C-alpha cells in the first residue's frame, strides 16, 4: 500500500499542488466534498487517533507509575501540543526522526528479553500456555477478531484509506522536495513497517507464557483475567530492570507524542486551509496561525472528552480503533479511488458516498456502544453490534 501511495496516488496529489487531502477533493469534485471530508477527518481524529493515543499513554502511566488516567493524559497532550503548535510540521518531522530511533531500540529490548524468558522461538512454539492458532493469520470466517473473509474484503479498502488518503499519513510525503524523494520515503516506511511484528506481536504472544507465571511466584495466573490493554506495560515491568524500564517507557511515550504531534499538525492544516481561509479569503497570516492554534487546542479538549468512551470498550484498544475507522475509511477511499481513476465520477456521487459513511457512523456507533455484549433485547441488533470491524468495513465499502 505504501508503494500504491508513492506511485499511484502521490503523482496526482503533487501534480495538483495540494497541501491537504480535502484540497485535492476540491480540485477533483468541488467545495462540498472538501468541506465534508474535512469534517469527517476531524471527527475521525477525535474518536480514534487523539483519544486512543491518550488512552494508551494513560495505561503506561497507570501500570508503571500509578498516575491517574486523566492527569497523565492532560500532561501528555499539553507537552505535545506546545511543541506542535509553535513548531509546526518542521518540529513534527525532527521529533519523529528522533523518536523512531528510540522506539525501535526500546522495543527490541523488550522483544529480546521476552524471547530469552520463554526459551527462544522454539520455546514459544512448544509452550503449553501459547495456543497454536496464535501463529496462524488464516482464521475461520466465524472468528470474532480476524476472520479471513474480513482480511480479503474489508481490510484492503480500510488499509488503503489509511495509507493513501489520510492527511496524517500523506502529509509526510507531501512535504518531500520532489516526487522522487517522496517515493523514497514511502519505500523506507515500507521497510520500517516490517519491524512491528518483531517489536509487538512476538512479545505479545510470549506474554501468554510470561504473565501466566510471573517471576517471584509459583502460582499460575489466569491470563484471561488480565486486561489486554495493559499486557505490554506489564511485560516491561516484569522483564526489565528499573533503569531500562525508564528507557522503554520513554520510547513508548515518544512514539505516542510523535503520533499526537502529527495529528495536531494535520488538524491545524485542515482547519486553516480548508475552512478558515475559505470563510475569510483575505485573512492575514497571523489570523490563520492563530486560528490553527485555537482549533488545535479545541481538538485536544475534545479528545480528552471522548476518552471515557474509549475506556468502556471491552474488546481492547486495537479493536476499538479499527472499528471506528471502519465506519468512515472505506467510503472515503471510494471517493478518492474513483476520483483518481474514473473520469465520470461526479461531485453528487462523491457527496452521496460521504453521506453514506455518515449514515453508517450514525447507525453503527450507537449500536456498537449500547448492544455489544448482547445488551439489547433484540437478537438481530446484538448480532449487528458484534460484527467484526473488517466485515463492517466491507459492507460500508460496497454501500458507498
Amino acid at each position: 500500500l505504501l508503494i500504491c501511495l508513492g506511485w499511484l496516488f502521490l503523482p496526482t496529489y503533487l501534480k495538483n499542488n495540494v497541501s491537504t487531502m480535502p484540497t485535492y477533493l476540491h480540485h477533483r469534485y468541488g467545495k462540498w466534498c472538501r468541506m465534508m471530508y474535512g469534517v469527517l477527518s476531524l471527527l475521525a481524529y477525535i474518536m480514534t487517533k487523539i483519544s486512543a493515543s491518550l488512552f494508551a499513554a494513560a495505561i503506561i502511566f497507570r501500570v508503571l507509575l500509578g498516575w491517574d488516567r486523566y492527569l497523565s493524559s492532560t500532561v501528555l497532550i499539553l507537552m505535545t501540543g506546545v511543541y506542535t503548535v509553535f513548531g509546526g510540521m518542521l518540529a513534527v518531522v525532527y521529533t519523529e526522526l528522533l523518536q523512531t530511533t528510540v522506539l525501535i531500540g526500546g522495543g527490541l529490548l523488550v522483544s529480546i528479553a521476552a524471547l530469552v524468558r520463554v526459551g527462544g522461538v522454539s520455546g514459544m512454539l512448544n509452550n503449553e500456555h501459547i495456543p497454536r492458532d496464535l501463529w496462524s493469520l488464516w482464521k475461520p470466517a466465524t472468528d470474532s477478531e480476524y476472520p479471513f473473509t474480513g482480511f480479503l474484503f474489508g481490510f484492503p479498502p480500510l488499509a488503503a484509506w489509511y495509507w493513501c488518503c489520510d492527511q496524517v499519513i500523506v502529509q509526510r510525503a507531501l512535504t518531500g522536495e520532489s516526487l522522487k524523494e517522496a517515493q523514497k520515503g514511502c519505500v523506507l516506511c515500507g521497510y520500517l513497517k516490517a519491524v512491528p511484528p518483531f517489536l509487538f506481536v512476538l512479545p505479545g504472544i510470549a506474554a501468554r507464557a510470561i504473565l501466566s507465571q510471573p517471576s517471584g511466584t509459583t502460582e499460575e495466573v489466569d491470563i484471561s483475567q488480565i486486561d489486554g490493554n495493559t499486557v505490554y506495560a506489564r511485560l516491561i515491568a516484569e522483564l526489565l530492570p528499573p533503569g531500562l524500564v525508564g528507557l522503554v517507557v520513554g520510547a513508548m511515550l515518544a512514539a505516542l507524542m510523535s503520533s499526537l504531534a502529527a495529528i495536531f499538525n494535520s488538524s491545524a492544516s485542515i482547519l486553516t486551509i480548508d475552512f478558515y481561509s475559505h470563510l475569510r479569503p483575505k485573512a492575514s497570516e497571523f489570523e490563520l496561525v492563530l486560528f490553527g492554534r485555537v482549533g488545535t487546542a479545541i481538538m485536544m479538549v475534545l479528545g480528552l472528552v471522548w476518552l471515557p468512551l474509549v475506556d468502556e470498550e471491552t474488546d481492547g484498544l486495537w479493536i476499538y480503533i479499527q472499528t471506528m475507522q471502519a465506519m468512515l475509511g472505506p467510503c472515503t477511499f471510494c471517493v478518492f479511488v474513483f476520483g483518481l481513476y474514473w473520469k465520470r465520477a461526479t461531485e453528487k456521487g462523491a457527496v452521496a458516498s460521504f453521506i453514506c459513511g455518515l449514515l453508517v457512523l450514525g447507525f453503527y456507533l450507537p449500536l456498537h456502544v449500547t448492544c455489544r455484549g448482547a445488551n439489547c433485547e433484540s437478537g438481530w441488533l446484538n448480532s449487528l453490534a458484534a460484527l467484526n470491524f473488517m466485515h463492517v468495513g466491507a459492507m460500508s465499502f460496497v454501500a458507498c
Side-chain angles (χ1 to χ4, degrees):
L1 287 173
L2 284 160
I3 299 301
C4 291
L5 170 62
W7 276 263
L8 299 181
F9 286 79
L10 265 183
T12 304
Y13 294 157
L14 295 178
K15 180 182 178 181
N16 286 277
N17 195 31
V18 300
S19 53
T20 67
M21 292 298 92
T23 301
Y24 166 71
L25 293 184
H26 190 176
H27 283 292
R28 175 59 181 84
Y29 293 109
K31 65 177 183 179
W32 284 109
C33 285
R34 178 181 199 160
M35 300 291 283
M36 292 188 75
Y37 186 47
V39 171
L40 285 174
S41 296
L42 296 176
L43 282 175
Y45 296 165
I46 293 168
M47 293 191 302
T48 59
K49 299 179 186 295
I50 297 176
S51 55
S53 296
L54 292 176
F55 184 77
I59 290 172
I60 298 170
F61 280 117
R62 177 167 56 86
V63 173
L64 298 176
L65 302 176
W67 285 26
D68 175 74
R69 176 170 300 161
Y70 295 99
L71 172 63
S72 57
S73 298
T74 304
V75 170
L76 183 71
I77 207 168
L78 288 175
M79 289 171 57
T80 310
V82 168
Y83 80 74
T84 305
V85 165
F86 292 100
M89 188 61 191
L90 190 62
V92 173
V93 170
Y94 280 115
T95 53
E96 284 191 348
L97 179 63
L98 175 62
Q99 291 163 347
T100 298
T101 306
V102 176
L103 175 65
I104 293 175
L108 283 174
L109 286 175
V110 178
S111 297
I112 293 170
L115 284 173
V116 170
R117 173 68 74 85
V118 297
V121 175
S122 60
M124 291 177 66
L125 291 172
N126 299 311
N127 194 288
E128 61 178 345
H129 297 290
I130 301 177
R132 284 282 181 177
D133 66 338
L134 288 182
W135 298 101
S136 174
L137 289 175
W138 197 256
K139 307 284 187 181
T142 53
D143 188 81
S144 61
E145 294 182 344
Y146 301 107
F148 80 90
T149 48
F151 270 116
L152 288 177
F153 304 110
F155 189 73
L158 179 58
W161 161 76
Y162 181 82
W163 288 108
C164 302
C165 310
D166 183 20
Q167 174 68 19
V168 174
I169 300 298
V170 179
Q171 69 175 351
R172 297 165 169 86
L174 294 178
T175 58
E177 293 182 355
S178 63
L179 174 60
K180 187 176 181 180
E181 292 299 315
Q183 289 172 336
K184 288 180 181 178
C186 292
V187 173
L188 174 61
C189 185
Y191 282 114
L192 290 175
K193 285 302 293 180
V195 177
F198 302 98
L199 297 184
F200 306 117
V201 178
L202 276 180
I205 294 174
R208 295 187 68 93
I210 296 169
L211 298 181
S212 292
Q213 191 168 4
S215 58
T217 178
T218 57
E219 297 182 3
E220 287 198 2
V221 176
D222 184 1
I223 193 72
S224 64
Q225 300 301 313
I226 297 177
D227 181 2
N229 291 324
T230 67
V231 165
Y232 198 79
R234 289 173 181 268
L235 269 184
I236 294 172
E238 174 71 23
L239 297 173
L240 302 180
L244 289 180
V245 168
L247 176 64
V248 175
V249 168
M252 295 178 67
L253 292 178
L256 292 169
M257 290 177 67
S258 172
S259 176
L260 283 172
I263 297 162
F264 293 154
N265 188 76
S266 297
S267 302
S269 298
I270 292 173
L271 287 167
T272 54
I273 296 172
D274 297 305
F275 288 99
Y276 195 74
S277 62
H278 283 265
L279 295 173
R280 287 181 56 82
K282 296 181 180 180
S284 64
E285 184 177 351
F286 174 79
E287 276 187 77
L288 293 173
V289 171
L290 180 62
F291 183 79
R293 290 174 177 174
V294 172
T296 301
I298 293 172
M299 293 286 289
M300 295 178 191
V301 173
L302 292 176
L304 283 171
V305 171
W306 193 264
L307 200 56
L309 188 61
V310 184
D311 193 24
E312 292 180 7
E313 177 60 60
T314 58
D315 295 327
L317 182 60
W318 169 254
I319 298 297
Y320 165 80
I321 295 171
Q322 301 309 317
T323 301
M324 294 298 110
Q325 292 185 155
M327 300 179 203
L328 296 173
C331 286
T332 303
F333 175 66
C334 250
V335 174
F336 274 87
V337 74
F338 279 103
L340 283 166
Y341 297 107
W342 193 39
K343 293 183 178 179
R344 295 179 63 184
T346 64
E347 183 179 13
K348 289 183 179 179
V351 169
S353 185
F354 280 132
I355 292 174
C356 178
L358 287 171
L359 290 175
V360 171
L361 178 68
F363 172 75
Y364 190 74
L365 179 58
L367 183 68
H368 179 73
V369 172
T370 57
C371 293
R372 65 186 174 202
N375 290 326
C376 289
E377 295 182 3
S378 174
W380 71 272
L381 285 178
N382 290 326
S383 299
L384 280 177
L387 276 176
N388 180 268
F389 69 88
M390 290 185 284
H391 288 158
V392 173
M395 291 188 291
S396 177
F397 182 70
V398 171
C400 294

